[in-house]
Amino acid sequence: MIELENVSYGYGSGELLTEMSLKLAPGSFHFLTGPSGAGKTTFLKLLYAELMPSAGQVTAFGNDVRSMARDDIALLRRRVGVVHQDCQFLDHLSLAENVALPLTVADREIDTRELVELLGWVGLKAQMDSLPPALSGGERQRAALARAVIMAPDVILADEPTGNVDWEMSLKLLTLLVELNRMGKTIVIATHDMNLIRSAKAQVAARVLRIKGRRLHLAGADL
Ligand SMILES: Nc1ncnc2c1ncn2[C@@H]1O[C@H](COP(=O)(O)OP(=O)(O)OP(=O)(O)O)[C@@H](O)[C@H]1O
C-alpha cells in the first residue's frame, strides 16, 4: 500500500531520518516508537505525503509520491486517515460537524444515520452537539479518530493517540484501532507507551518499529 525505499529526510542541513525502508502491507498493524524528537511525526508525514523525501522513494498505492499531481495527493489523503497529535477542531462547529468536516470539504453528502452510528462507535453520541472546548482529552481523541475514519480510508496513521489520556481511555482507543484493523484497515500508531504496545501485542500481530540513531529498526521481542 505504502512503501518506503531508502528514504532520508532532514529539515535543515543535517539528516533527521536516514535510509529508511518499509513496506506497509494491507491489513498490517505497526507501532512506531523512539525517543522524543527522533522523528516519529516526521516519518508519519512522509507516509501521507505531507513531506517529500530528500532522498529515496515513497510509493503510495502504486504511485511515486514525487510524481503525483495535486489531485492525486488529495485522493491519497482520502485513503489515509490521520489522527494528529494535537487533534485540532474548529471550535465554533459542533463535534458532529467537526467529525463530518472531511466530507464537507470533499463536497460529499453527509449520511446522518452513518454519522450517528460512527459517533456511537466511538462512544460520543451524547456529545454530538457539544462544542470542542467542552470536550475532555479522551473525548477529543475519540472524535479525532472518528474524523480520521469518516472517509473510509484504507490506512490509519495515529500520532500519539493516547498521549493525554489515562490508561483506561488508552485501552479504549486501542480497542477501537484493533477493531478497525480487524475490519481490514492498515494501522500505524506512533507512541512512547510500551504498556500500550504490550497490550496490543496480546490482541493483534503487531510489528514494532523503532527510530534510533536516525535509522528505522524492527524491534525484537524484548518489549
Ligand atoms: N517543521 C519543522 N522544521 C524544522 N524542524 C522540525 C520541524 N518539525 C520537526 N522538526 C524537528 O525534527 C525533529 C523530529 O521531530 P518529530 O516531531 O518528527 O519527532 P517525534 O519523534 O515525533 O517527537 P515527539 O515524540 O516529541 O513528538 C525535532 O528535533 C523537531 O524539532
Side-chain angles (χ1 to χ4, degrees), residues 11 16 35-42 85 160 192:
Y11 287 102
L16 173 67
S36 184
K40 299 181 292 298
T41 300
T42 305
Q85 196 165 13
E160 296 281 0
H192 287 113

Side-chain angles (χ1 to χ4, degrees), residues 9-11 16-17 32 37-47 51 159 211:
Y9 188 82
Y11 287 102
L16 173 67
L17 307 175
L32 177 64
K40 299 181 292 298
T41 300
T42 305
F43 185 85
L44 294 181
K45 286 181 176 171
L46 288 162
L47 290 180
L51 295 173
D159 196 355
I211 302 178

Side-chain angles (χ1 to χ4, degrees), residues 132-143:
L135 300 174
S136 72
E139 289 166 345
R140 290 176 77 85
Q141 287 292 353
R142 281 177 287 149

Side-chain angles (χ1 to χ4, degrees), residues 6-186:
N6 295 322
V7 165
S8 300
Y9 188 82
Y11 287 102
S13 49
E15 253 178 20
L16 173 67
L17 307 175
T18 300
E19 288 183 17
M20 297 189 159
S21 295
L22 174 71
K23 271 188 195 176
L24 275 189
S28 59
F29 199 118
H30 286 88
F31 282 99
L32 177 64
T33 185
S36 184
K40 299 181 292 298
T41 300
T42 305
F43 185 85
L44 294 181
K45 286 181 176 171
L46 288 162
L47 290 180
Y48 65 94
E50 172 74 19
L51 295 173
M52 294 290 153
S54 3
Q57 187 171 313
V58 177
T59 312
F61 307 102
N63 299 308
D64 182 340
V65 296
R66 275 219 204 82
S67 64
M68 282 181 173
R70 204 194 296 186
D71 285 356
D72 298 328
I73 298 266
L75 270 179
L76 163 69
R77 297 274 166 78
R78 286 182 201 171
R79 297 184 73 177
V80 182
V82 183
V83 183
H84 296 279
Q85 196 165 13
D86 52 2
C87 40
Q88 301 218 7
F89 298 100
L90 295 178
D91 286 349
H92 63 287
L93 296 182
S94 70
L95 183 151
E97 287 167 329
N98 268 286
V99 167
L101 207 55
L103 291 170
T104 313
V105 170
D107 214 11
R108 297 233 314 243
E109 210 167 301
I110 297 166
D111 181 327
T112 311
R113 197 184 52 83
E114 276 180 20
L115 177 60
V116 172
E117 198 177 307
L118 176 62
L119 290 170
W121 176 67
V122 293
L124 291 176
K125 214 191 290 192
Q127 290 92 336
M128 63 185 288
D129 296 321
S130 302
L131 293 177
L135 300 174
S136 72
E139 289 166 345
R140 290 176 77 85
Q141 287 292 353
R142 281 177 287 149
L145 180 60
R147 184 177 55 188
V149 300
I150 199 155
M151 300 291 276
D154 302 307
V155 181
I156 293 148
L157 309 176
D159 196 355
E160 296 281 0
T162 60
N164 294 314
V165 299
D166 63 21
W167 179 238
E168 200 184 330
M169 186 53 66
S170 298
L171 287 179
K172 270 190 197 151
L173 282 157
L174 178 64
T175 303
L176 294 173
L177 288 157
V178 168
E179 276 178 26
L180 287 166
N181 182 245
R182 295 206 169 120
M183 287 159 61
K185 312 281 183 197
T186 305

